[in-house]
Amino acid sequence: MKTNEGNLDRIARIVVGLGLVVYGFMMQGALGTGISIFGLIPIATGVIGWCPLYTLLGISTCPVKK
């Protein structure tokens, strides 16, 4: 897996993911659980630095290495 996310993209994903997890815990119930689980996806992609959707679409926010 080649990194295809830049630093700003990774930070934004982690922040949004954490926000979704916290919001899901605050909501409680089945919908809250679903939101919390969905929030784990951007956290994981932000930590790893690789997004499968970016790979399929041919997108990379990683700066070009010279």
Side-chain angles (χ1 to χ4, degrees):
M1 288 185 301
K2 188 176 180 183
T3 303
N4 61 3
E5 296 176 1
N7 289 335
L8 185 60
D9 191 9
R10 294 175 77 175
I11 291 169
R13 286 171 183 262
I14 292 171
V15 169
V16 168
L18 289 173
L20 286 171
V21 169
V22 169
Y23 182 68
F25 278 124
M26 290 173 46
M27 284 187 63
Q28 300 176 351
L31 182 61
T33 302
I35 292 173
S36 292
I37 292 171
F38 184 73
L40 295 176
I41 296 169
I43 292 172
T45 59
V47 169
I48 295 169
W50 179 74
C51 177
L53 186 60
Y54 277 11
T55 302
L56 289 173
L57 298 175
I59 300 171
S60 177
T61 59
C62 198
V64 178
K65 296 178 184 176
K66 293 182 181 180

